[in-house]
Amino acid sequence: MSHNTFGHLFRVTTWGESHGPALGCVVDGCPPRIELTEDEIQTFLDKRKPGQSKYTTQRREADAVRILSGVMSDDHGVQRTTGTPISLMIENTDQRSKDYSEIRESYRPGHADYTYDAKYGIRDYRGGGRSSARETAARVAAGAIARKVVPGLIVRGALVQIGPHKVDRSRWDWDEIGNNPFFCPDATTAARWSEYLDQIRKDGSSVGAVVEVVAEGVPAGLGAPLYGKLDQEIAAALMSINAVKGVEIGNGFEAAALTGEENADEMRIGADGRPQFLSNNAGGILGGISSGEPVVARFAVKPTSSILTPRRSVTRSGEDVDVRTKGRHDPCVGIRAVPVGEAMVACVIADHYLRHRGQVG
Amino acid sequence: MSHNTFGHLFRVTTWGESHGPALGCVVDGCPPRIELTEDEIQTFLDKRKPGQSKYTTQRREADAVRILSGVMSDDHGVQRTTGTPISLMIENTDQRSKDYSEIRESYRPGHADYTYDAKYGIRDYRGGGRSSARETAARVAAGAIARKVVPGLIVRGALVQIGPHKVDRSRWDWDEIGNNPFFCPDATTAARWSEYLDQIRKDGSSVGAVVEVVAEGVPAGLGAPLYGKLDQEIAAALMSINAVKGVEIGNGFEAAALTGEENADEMRIGADGRPQFLSNNAGGILGGISSGEPVVARFAVKPTSSILTPRRSVTRSGEDVDVRTKGRHDPCVGIRAVPVGEAMVACVIADHYLRHRGQVG
Amino acid sequence: MSHNTFGHLFRVTTWGESHGPALGCVVDGCPPRIELTEDEIQTFLDKRKPGQSKYTTQRREADAVRILSGVMSDDHGVQRTTGTPISLMIENTDQRSKDYSEIRESYRPGHADYTYDAKYGIRDYRGGGRSSARETAARVAAGAIARKVVPGLIVRGALVQIGPHKVDRSRWDWDEIGNNPFFCPDATTAARWSEYLDQIRKDGSSVGAVVEVVAEGVPAGLGAPLYGKLDQEIAAALMSINAVKGVEIGNGFEAAALTGEENADEMRIGADGRPQFLSNNAGGILGGISSGEPVVARFAVKPTSSILTPRRSVTRSGEDVDVRTKGRHDPCVGIRAVPVGEAMVACVIADHYLRHRGQVG
Amino acid sequence: MSHNTFGHLFRVTTWGESHGPALGCVVDGCPPRIELTEDEIQTFLDKRKPGQSKYTTQRREADAVRILSGVMSDDHGVQRTTGTPISLMIENTDQRSKDYSEIRESYRPGHADYTYDAKYGIRDYRGGGRSSARETAARVAAGAIARKVVPGLIVRGALVQIGPHKVDRSRWDWDEIGNNPFFCPDATTAARWSEYLDQIRKDGSSVGAVVEVVAEGVPAGLGAPLYGKLDQEIAAALMSINAVKGVEIGNGFEAAALTGEENADEMRIGADGRPQFLSNNAGGILGGISSGEPVVARFAVKPTSSILTPRRSVTRSGEDVDVRTKGRHDPCVGIRAVPVGEAMVACVIADHYLRHRGQVG
């Protein structure tokens, strides 16, 4: 059972609400003797942190992580994991006090307000409670650890679509990612998005997005044929991010329109005498098992449900109401989903790396 | 850990290879006192059975299921589940003997041959071994039981795209599903697909497809906010089906191109005094929890990798080779994926139904 | 996988070392709308707290618990669980700085020092690290929540043996438990233990103990026939407590010496028209499933391994050494194991209560 | 969740009732390329098989195992595991038809009849259904595979007590185990038991027993400090065997009466320059982690509940009744529990071997 846990050998349990004192996670199963400091984790948290541009929520959170357990200095003074659970905590510091009475009574369309009440009969209405995007900070922190578990693993993400505007793949440059507030791998596209999103933001509207995550350095052999497929668990991990409505691996939905001839990734023996693939439609995974090619996953993020335009809804007590959401929100929540997607993919790969080592040796 | 098991309270463990004596599954956690006969399960297996039209593999399998445990007659002679594990077995009867020496040495492009060897160092090359579509018979059998766990649940699937040809949704009629060999909900589209697929089949080629599964009668409140999201587990379940490369819920990837205004599912109090949704972009799931609306999922199936046209590949011993796959194959493996997709969705919903009942009562 | 997690629907993940900044746990799966305050949890922590008598370690810890997530005030201002994970944290305040260089290099006999190094190649030698009895504070906190999950459940524990001295069962009085520092249900025995343990303590020695836990109000039907037996999971839960070397249910090892006639718990229809048992050799569990009788479990706790008398051992670098352990220790760690045992039994029963409700309804 | 599954990386799911067509298990997670034949498994099944002496039930079952999946011949014709699930089936052949109407209506004291009805509201009354000792055949089969997973592992069991009569440990000789029908390691004790049990059998009575299992060749480092303790999982595995009421590790309950000085297992550097233990009170496990010493576990088996002497009970419909159980039964079910205990310990060790390899490498 895994309502708030993901992973098996590399396991992450997250906790915390948007407006509680803190949030965090427990990372269980991290191998011992891996170098790990708060600073390393902080680096990744800083990428996800809100309030870094006008395109993300203006909530101001330091998102400062503390390691509460699971590491110690070795004989040489280097801080390392001990093999025991690593508890990470991030305090909430900017839970702006405001009047939640409206949200408390009304179900915001597109939000989980209605379904939470249907399920639990009680709901933390303050800032989305458990469904707040703040929870993803814990994922990013866990992902920072996961990256260190698999030697040579590099996981990078990019935003490849905002609203109807897709990135120009012919100009893909990973080095551009850090040069714009969108994790966009193409400066020209970034400029276009900037203009488009300015208007969305001014309108109090929001828009969806597509994120692509690429993992390089994944050894061949990770995963399992059926219910432990590497792609299946990546799909689950990405779909577990708030607002995600679709996931695909490799060429994904495009594969439906192709013939077997077009879709086949052919192979040849390379100059180094080793098998190599001549294309990567499969996104690095065949039969649920990694092929050694880069693992490529994409996920669709729906537009932020919090918008200024009133939408029709109902109250808990059964009355019609119109709801408009004021306050600090991301006009495109897909932007901050990039480091979150990276983290989730890193966690799944780390888990499968350990599982493979366990079963096959 | 779940390499061959899926589900938590309603758990299914499958076993068996294409060319072994049998395949089957153990369904653990089915509630007691549910009426269950082999005939009921057989009905669903017959929908998935190969060789029913020229568009599916000509392998002839009776796919006759036996219940080996977990049911007994009650005081009134009605066969019911007892709450103990239900073991189901389907014998393989048409493992045509043939020469596998070529497949044994060469990696078929698009198949899991290479990755199996990379992982296990040993591989059942006969008919795909564990990755054979035959394994899905066990899923369909389990799904037949799952359908009975949730009162009022109806799960139906349809093929909505073959190659580049999408179904005409304006003419959607569930009753058409059984009138054509494609599970197509529109007779006109079915006729077009028939023509298109004839050519594919004659060419020894193959093509991809998209399947849509709709579950009605899902009570509001199933699922969990983050790592037990109903949509996440549906995504994982569908992605665990062979050849699936993408999954989406509700409007899925389309949501990326929409604004918050367009995507919101507004609500009003209905004539019966209860909240109702005015649209279902969310596909029946908000914040990972079912809303009471129909749950809608789609998945993309890549073209069958077994094709007559030679493709470049390599051998186990490191030589270049050209591979063409003769023998009995589905030109569009997406067709038979329809009842499999239904079964997986039914299993996930049954599992979450029991989990919700456990946690919330 | 459950290296630091126990339970399935009611799941507890603990973290923290003896000498880190804090320890705690995440309780996942607690049903919503249950009243819960820090004070209620604190009550149970106070029973386990060190330094309350001369018979337990003189380490001074407030063991003050904080609820970091998973509760909120309902419409009437009553604090309730929300169904989301409950994160509990207890800060370490009395990690007395001392010289650990000896422990760091030498393996203390009876401790896990050697096996930790054998497993992880790194070890938090400060105060036992993860194996410290301090970890059990997190269990007691989780148990306080578990008690509230099952209506009518009462879980009580008693020390029934210290060293060779067993409690006099003919004078068992639950009300005596709080009147002595041993959780002893008989004042006379308590007086004898007091004398005995004074000597042990003065000698810098230690001694083992046996704890009995009785759960009343357990509804019939919890558990499962084979691998989810209620007694099996109680056994695992109790054996997971540090220093526990044996567990028994009902008459336990005594049953080995009995005949079927002697051991049978006969039944009769009671005055209320309902079946009742005439004895409870089974300890409330038949075939792994609760019978409605009190669940009775006992566990043996070995003597504290930290003693003043030197014992032969070896160092990490492979030299013979004699080890004696100074510092603050429990002469009989079994005493403080009483509330821990109660907590574990409560957690298992809560978990099975939810699991039963899930599977059977 | 694990109602019918045990283990994590080495997972066993069992199914089947006493009077169904067959029983069996699915072993998931067995590493690939391990040599495995039906004959090897059969060897262990034959040790557990009923009807081999007058001291076990006279039911005649061939207990012939079939491997239905998960193995294939390698390039050299040697049958090996493939890493996919291994399905094992044993057909029931001697389900003697008889009149179950009495058992159907009455609850046999000491059996799970009452609790099954309380839980499920339906019960397979024929021969104990799921709780039949026949289920343990599946465990023994799985254990035969587990033994091959850990290089150098030897797991042996012995009966050490029947009724009040304990084995004479000073004459322990493993080679004697096969020379008597009791798995007794001492010929003299075996002779005494023979006489004692003859009388029990003639009286239609039954008696309890204690079994000891010793695992040699367990590498140091298996297990985990708290909720994945090796001893905890051995305790759970043994307690999951029918009729087991207590489990202990090493000196177990005796440890309660000892001082720290007496209980400590001292260490010295051995002639080979490696650390060695001078005693093994701990039973090979410290802090939940194996020390490299033999792992020693004991479990108490209650007397068979089926006896000829009438016992007071009640019927499903609420009437008092006296029950005596005719038919084929083991006068001491503890005898056949010996190979079952071995199998369970082997499975736990195999599982932890893989888990350790996964987490630590």
Side-chain angles (χ1 to χ4, degrees):
Chain A
M1 291 291 301
S2 54
H3 289 136
N4 292 284
T5 297
F6 61 94
H8 296 268
L9 286 196
F10 185 89
R11 290 170 72 77
V12 180
T13 300
T14 81
W15 56 269
E17 281 86 34
S18 169
H19 281 59
L23 57 88
C25 64
V26 181
V27 177
D28 185 16
C30 183
R33 300 190 306 275
I34 292 178
E35 289 189 37
L36 183 70
T37 63
E38 286 174 352
D39 285 352
E40 289 175 281
I41 302 173
Q42 195 63 50
T43 303
F44 290 97
L45 281 170
D46 289 347
K47 289 175 65 180
R48 190 213 70 98
K49 208 165 57 175
Q52 302 193 105
S53 80
K54 59 186 173 184
Y55 305 111
T56 58
T57 172
Q58 294 307 299
R59 177 165 174 164
R60 295 274 164 194
E61 287 286 357
D63 273 358
V65 68
R66 284 184 67 199
I67 302 179
L68 296 177
S69 67
V71 298
M72 72 170 304
S73 291
D74 67 11
D75 293 348
H76 309 288
V78 178
Q79 188 165 278
R80 293 184 185 276
T81 59
T82 60
T84 62
I86 304 167
S87 177
L88 303 174
M89 183 169 69
I90 298 163
E91 291 185 65
N92 287 325
T93 55
D94 187 24
Q95 314 104 296
R96 192 173 299 182
S97 96
K98 74 175 220 190
D99 181 6
Y100 287 104
S101 55
E102 190 179 320
I103 297 175
R104 181 174 174 165
E105 293 305 317
S106 304
Y107 298 129
R108 294 166 298 164
H111 280 281
D113 299 347
Y114 174 73
T115 54
Y116 266 57
D117 255 3
K119 182 174 192 73
Y120 299 116
I122 185 173
R123 166 172 62 95
D124 190 340
Y125 44 81
R126 299 163 301 173
R130 183 74 178 137
S131 281
S132 165
R134 277 202 65 63
E135 186 269 348
T136 60
R139 304 176 185 231
V140 169
I145 301 176
R147 290 168 190 268
K148 306 202 73 173
V149 169
V150 187
L153 177 68
I154 297 170
V155 182
R156 293 183 291 195
L159 205 64
V160 297
Q161 182 181 338
I162 287 189
H165 305 293
K166 299 189 179 183
V167 80
D168 181 345
R169 286 179 174 269
S170 69
R171 289 187 298 208
W172 189 293
D173 178 3
W174 282 112
D175 292 337
E176 275 299 320
I177 295 287
N179 295 340
N180 61 72
F182 307 110
F183 303 101
C184 179
D186 165 33
T188 310
T189 303
R192 183 154 41 106
W193 287 353
S194 180
E195 203 173 320
Y196 172 73
L197 212 54
D198 269 340
Q199 193 57 49
I200 291 284
R201 190 175 56 82
K202 283 173 193 155
D203 295 346
S205 181
S206 68
V207 72
V210 176
V211 177
E212 180 166 319
V213 178
V214 179
E216 293 167 279
V218 181
L222 307 193
L226 295 165
Y227 306 107
K229 274 183 186 336
L230 184 59
D231 34 357
Q232 163 193 18
E233 302 207 352
I234 288 174
L238 295 176
M239 197 69 104
S240 78
I241 302 170
N242 289 320
V244 173
K245 299 302 283 184
V247 181
E248 55 184 15
I249 304 293
N251 58 7
F253 276 88
E254 274 183 34
L258 301 181
T259 62
E261 289 78 6
E262 294 163 333
N263 194 59
D265 292 318
E266 296 181 289
M267 302 181 80
R268 275 293 178 249
I269 298 297
D272 61 355
R274 298 170 54 89
Q276 61 177 49
F277 287 90
L278 309 181
S279 58
N280 189 20
N281 289 322
I285 303 174
L286 284 165
I289 300 171
S290 62
S291 67
E293 291 290 293
V295 170
V296 181
R298 268 179 307 283
F299 58 100
V301 184
K302 72 177 182 181
T304 316
S305 298
S306 301
I307 49 176
L308 276 179
T309 311
R311 297 283 96 184
R312 291 173 287 175
S313 188
V314 301
T315 65
R316 282 165 79 195
S317 44
E319 289 155 3
D320 286 347
V321 69
D322 285 358
V323 173
R324 61 194 291 265
T325 316
K326 286 154 289 191
R328 306 166 295 174
H329 296 288
D330 292 278
C332 176
V333 76
I335 298 171
R336 291 208 290 140
V338 174
V340 181
E342 291 177 4
M344 296 309 287
V345 170
C347 286
V348 172
I349 292 171
D351 186 35
H352 270 289
Y353 178 78
L354 301 182
R355 287 158 71 174
H356 176 75
R357 190 163 73 178
Q359 194 193 351
V360 180
Chain B
M1 292 291 302
S2 54
H3 289 136
N4 292 284
T5 297
F6 62 93
H8 296 268
L9 286 195
F10 186 88
R11 290 170 70 78
V12 180
T13 300
T14 81
W15 55 270
E17 282 85 33
S18 168
H19 282 61
L23 57 88
C25 65
V26 182
V27 177
D28 186 16
C30 183
R33 301 189 307 274
I34 292 178
E35 288 189 36
L36 184 69
T37 63
E38 286 174 352
D39 285 351
E40 288 175 282
I41 302 174
Q42 195 63 48
T43 304
F44 290 96
L45 280 170
D46 289 347
K47 288 175 65 181
R48 191 215 67 101
K49 207 164 59 176
Q52 301 194 105
S53 81
K54 60 186 173 183
Y55 305 111
T56 57
T57 172
Q58 295 307 299
R59 178 165 173 164
R60 295 274 164 193
E61 288 287 356
D63 273 359
V65 68
R66 284 185 66 199
I67 301 178
L68 295 178
S69 67
V71 298
M72 73 170 302
S73 292
D74 67 11
D75 292 348
H76 308 288
V78 178
Q79 188 164 277
R80 293 186 186 275
T81 60
T82 60
T84 62
I86 303 167
S87 177
L88 303 174
M89 183 170 69
I90 297 163
E91 291 185 66
N92 287 324
T93 55
D94 187 24
Q95 315 103 296
R96 193 172 297 182
S97 98
K98 76 174 220 189
D99 180 6
Y100 286 104
S101 54
E102 190 180 320
I103 297 175
R104 181 174 175 166
E105 293 305 318
S106 304
Y107 299 128
R108 293 166 300 165
H111 280 281
D113 300 346
Y114 174 72
T115 54
Y116 266 57
D117 256 3
K119 182 174 192 73
Y120 298 116
I122 185 173
R123 165 172 63 95
D124 191 340
Y125 43 81
R126 297 165 302 172
R130 183 74 177 138
S131 281
S132 165
R134 278 201 64 63
E135 187 269 348
T136 59
R139 304 177 184 230
V140 170
I145 301 176
R147 289 167 191 269
K148 307 201 73 173
V149 168
V150 187
L153 177 68
I154 296 171
V155 182
R156 292 183 292 195
L159 204 64
V160 297
Q161 181 181 340
I162 287 191
H165 305 292
K166 299 188 180 183
V167 80
D168 181 345
R169 286 178 173 270
S170 69
R171 288 187 299 208
W172 189 295
D173 178 2
W174 281 112
D175 292 337
E176 274 300 319
I177 295 286
N179 296 338
N180 61 71
F182 306 110
F183 302 100
C184 179
D186 165 33
T188 310
T189 304
R192 182 154 42 105
W193 286 354
S194 179
E195 203 173 320
Y196 171 73
L197 212 53
D198 269 339
Q199 192 57 48
I200 291 284
R201 189 174 57 81
K202 282 173 192 155
D203 295 348
S205 182
S206 68
V207 72
V210 176
V211 176
E212 180 166 318
V213 178
V214 179
E216 292 167 280
V218 181
L222 307 194
L226 294 165
Y227 306 107
K229 274 185 189 333
L230 184 59
D231 35 356
Q232 164 193 17
E233 302 207 353
I234 288 173
L238 295 175
M239 197 67 105
S240 78
I241 302 171
N242 290 319
V244 173
K245 299 303 284 183
V247 182
E248 56 184 14
I249 303 294
N251 58 9
F253 276 88
E254 275 183 34
L258 301 180
T259 63
E261 289 78 5
E262 295 163 333
N263 193 60
D265 293 318
E266 296 181 289
M267 302 180 79
R268 275 292 178 250
I269 299 296
D272 61 355
R274 300 170 53 88
Q276 61 177 48
F277 287 91
L278 309 181
S279 58
N280 190 20
N281 289 321
I285 304 175
L286 283 165
I289 300 171
S290 61
S291 67
E293 291 291 292
V295 170
V296 180
R298 267 181 308 284
F299 57 101
V301 184
K302 72 178 184 182
T304 316
S305 297
S306 301
I307 49 176
L308 276 179
T309 310
R311 296 283 96 184
R312 290 173 288 174
S313 188
V314 302
T315 65
R316 282 165 77 195
S317 44
E319 288 155 3
D320 286 349
V321 68
D322 285 359
V323 172
R324 62 194 290 265
T325 315
K326 288 154 288 190
R328 306 166 294 174
H329 296 289
D330 292 278
C332 177
V333 75
I335 298 171
R336 290 207 290 140
V338 174
V340 181
E342 291 177 4
M344 295 309 288
V345 170
C347 286
V348 172
I349 291 170
D351 186 35
H352 270 289
Y353 177 79
L354 301 182
R355 288 158 70 174
H356 176 75
R357 189 164 73 178
Q359 193 193 352
V360 180
Chain C
M1 292 290 303
S2 53
H3 288 136
N4 292 283
T5 296
F6 62 94
H8 295 269
L9 286 196
F10 186 88
R11 290 169 71 77
V12 180
T13 300
T14 81
W15 56 269
E17 280 86 32
S18 170
H19 281 60
L23 57 87
C25 65
V26 182
V27 177
D28 185 17
C30 182
R33 301 190 306 274
I34 292 178
E35 287 188 38
L36 183 70
T37 65
E38 286 174 353
D39 285 351
E40 288 176 282
I41 302 174
Q42 195 63 51
T43 304
F44 290 97
L45 281 170
D46 288 347
K47 289 175 62 181
R48 191 214 68 100
K49 208 165 58 177
Q52 301 193 105
S53 82
K54 59 186 172 183
Y55 305 110
T56 57
T57 173
Q58 295 308 301
R59 178 166 174 162
R60 293 276 166 194
E61 287 286 357
D63 274 359
V65 68
R66 284 184 66 200
I67 302 179
L68 296 178
S69 67
V71 299
M72 72 172 302
S73 292
D74 68 9
D75 293 350
H76 309 287
V78 178
Q79 189 165 278
R80 293 184 185 273
T81 60
T82 59
T84 61
I86 302 167
S87 177
L88 303 173
M89 184 170 69
I90 296 162
E91 290 185 65
N92 288 325
T93 54
D94 187 23
Q95 315 104 295
R96 192 173 299 181
S97 96
K98 76 174 219 189
D99 180 6
Y100 287 105
S101 55
E102 190 180 319
I103 297 175
R104 180 174 175 167
E105 293 305 317
S106 303
Y107 298 129
R108 293 168 298 165
H111 279 283
D113 300 347
Y114 174 72
T115 54
Y116 266 56
D117 256 3
K119 183 174 190 75
Y120 299 117
I122 185 172
R123 166 172 62 96
D124 191 340
Y125 43 81
R126 299 164 302 172
R130 183 70 178 140
S131 282
S132 165
R134 277 201 65 62
E135 187 269 349
T136 60
R139 302 177 185 231
V140 170
I145 301 177
R147 289 167 190 269
K148 308 203 70 172
V149 168
V150 186
L153 177 68
I154 296 170
V155 183
R156 292 183 292 195
L159 205 63
V160 297
Q161 181 180 338
I162 286 190
H165 305 293
K166 299 189 181 186
V167 82
D168 181 345
R169 286 180 172 270
S170 68
R171 289 187 297 208
W172 189 293
D173 178 1
W174 281 113
D175 291 338
E176 275 300 321
I177 295 286
N179 295 340
N180 61 72
F182 307 111
F183 302 102
C184 179
D186 165 34
T188 311
T189 304
R192 182 154 41 105
W193 288 353
S194 180
E195 202 173 320
Y196 172 72
L197 212 53
D198 269 338
Q199 194 55 50
I200 291 283
R201 190 174 56 82
K202 283 172 193 156
D203 296 346
S205 182
S206 68
V207 72
V210 176
V211 177
E212 179 166 319
V213 178
V214 179
E216 292 167 280
V218 181
L222 307 195
L226 294 165
Y227 306 107
K229 273 184 182 355
L230 183 59
D231 34 358
Q232 164 192 18
E233 302 206 353
I234 287 173
L238 295 176
M239 197 68 105
S240 78
I241 301 171
N242 290 319
V244 174
K245 299 304 283 184
V247 181
E248 56 183 15
I249 303 294
N251 58 7
F253 275 88
E254 275 184 33
L258 301 180
T259 63
E261 289 78 6
E262 296 162 333
N263 193 59
D265 292 319
E266 295 181 290
M267 302 180 79
R268 275 293 178 249
I269 298 296
D272 61 355
R274 298 169 52 90
Q276 61 177 47
F277 287 90
L278 309 181
S279 58
N280 189 21
N281 290 322
I285 303 174
L286 284 165
I289 301 172
S290 62
S291 68
E293 290 292 292
V295 170
V296 181
R298 267 179 309 282
F299 58 101
V301 184
K302 71 177 184 184
T304 316
S305 299
S306 301
I307 49 176
L308 275 179
T309 310
R311 296 283 97 183
R312 290 172 288 173
S313 188
V314 301
T315 64
R316 281 165 79 196
S317 45
E319 288 155 2
D320 285 348
V321 69
D322 284 358
V323 173
R324 61 194 292 266
T325 315
K326 287 152 290 191
R328 307 166 292 175
H329 296 290
D330 292 278
C332 176
V333 76
I335 299 171
R336 290 206 291 138
V338 175
V340 182
E342 291 177 5
M344 295 310 287
V345 170
C347 286
V348 172
I349 291 171
D351 187 33
H352 270 289
Y353 177 78
L354 301 182
R355 286 158 70 173
H356 176 77
R357 189 163 72 177
Q359 195 194 349
V360 179
Chain D
M1 292 290 301
S2 54
H3 289 136
N4 291 284
T5 297
F6 62 94
H8 295 269
L9 286 195
F10 185 88
R11 291 170 71 77
V12 180
T13 300
T14 81
W15 55 269
E17 280 85 33
S18 170
H19 281 60
L23 58 86
C25 65
V26 181
V27 177
D28 185 16
C30 182
R33 301 190 307 274
I34 291 178
E35 288 189 37
L36 184 69
T37 64
E38 286 174 352
D39 284 351
E40 287 175 281
I41 302 173
Q42 194 65 49
T43 303
F44 289 97
L45 281 170
D46 289 347
K47 289 175 64 181
R48 191 213 69 98
K49 208 164 57 175
Q52 301 193 104
S53 81
K54 59 187 172 183
Y55 305 111
T56 57
T57 172
Q58 295 307 301
R59 177 166 173 163
R60 295 274 166 194
E61 287 287 356
D63 273 0
V65 68
R66 283 183 67 198
I67 303 179
L68 296 178
S69 67
V71 298
M72 72 172 302
S73 292
D74 68 10
D75 293 349
H76 309 288
V78 178
Q79 189 164 277
R80 291 183 186 277
T81 60
T82 60
T84 61
I86 303 168
S87 177
L88 302 174
M89 184 170 69
I90 297 163
E91 291 185 64
N92 287 326
T93 54
D94 188 25
Q95 316 103 295
R96 193 173 297 182
S97 97
K98 76 174 216 190
D99 181 6
Y100 286 105
S101 54
E102 190 180 320
I103 299 175
R104 181 173 174 167
E105 293 306 318
S106 304
Y107 298 129
R108 293 166 299 164
H111 280 281
D113 300 347
Y114 174 71
T115 54
Y116 266 57
D117 256 4
K119 182 175 191 74
Y120 299 117
I122 185 172
R123 165 173 62 95
D124 190 341
Y125 44 81
R126 298 163 303 172
R130 183 71 179 139
S131 281
S132 165
R134 277 202 65 61
E135 187 269 348
T136 60
R139 302 176 185 232
V140 170
I145 301 177
R147 289 167 191 268
K148 307 203 71 173
V149 168
V150 186
L153 177 68
I154 296 170
V155 182
R156 291 184 292 195
L159 205 63
V160 297
Q161 181 181 338
I162 286 190
H165 305 293
K166 299 188 180 185
V167 81
D168 181 345
R169 286 178 173 268
S170 68
R171 288 188 297 208
W172 190 293
D173 178 1
W174 281 112
D175 292 338
E176 274 301 319
I177 295 286
N179 295 340
N180 61 72
F182 307 110
F183 302 101
C184 179
D186 165 33
T188 310
T189 304
R192 182 154 41 106
W193 287 354
S194 179
E195 204 173 320
Y196 172 71
L197 213 53
D198 268 339
Q199 193 55 50
I200 292 283
R201 191 174 56 82
K202 282 172 193 154
D203 296 346
S205 182
S206 68
V207 72
V210 176
V211 177
E212 179 166 319
V213 178
V214 179
E216 293 167 279
V218 182
L222 307 195
L226 294 165
Y227 306 106
K229 273 184 186 341
L230 184 58
D231 35 358
Q232 164 192 19
E233 302 207 352
I234 287 173
L238 295 176
M239 198 68 106
S240 78
I241 302 171
N242 290 320
V244 174
K245 298 304 284 182
V247 181
E248 56 183 15
I249 303 294
N251 58 6
F253 277 88
E254 275 183 33
L258 301 181
T259 63
E261 290 78 5
E262 294 163 332
N263 193 58
D265 293 317
E266 296 180 291
M267 302 180 79
R268 274 293 179 249
I269 298 295
D272 61 355
R274 298 168 55 89
Q276 61 177 49
F277 287 90
L278 309 181
S279 59
N280 190 21
N281 289 322
I285 303 175
L286 284 165
I289 301 172
S290 62
S291 67
E293 290 292 291
V295 170
V296 181
R298 267 179 308 284
F299 58 100
V301 184
K302 71 177 184 183
T304 316
S305 299
S306 301
I307 49 176
L308 275 179
T309 310
R311 296 282 98 183
R312 289 173 288 173
S313 189
V314 301
T315 64
R316 283 164 77 196
S317 44
E319 289 154 3
D320 284 348
V321 69
D322 285 358
V323 173
R324 61 193 293 264
T325 316
K326 287 152 289 190
R328 307 165 294 174
H329 295 289
D330 292 277
C332 176
V333 76
I335 299 171
R336 291 207 289 140
V338 175
V340 181
E342 292 177 4
M344 296 309 287
V345 170
C347 286
V348 172
I349 292 171
D351 186 33
H352 270 289
Y353 177 79
L354 301 182
R355 287 157 70 174
H356 176 76
R357 189 163 72 178
Q359 194 193 351
V360 179

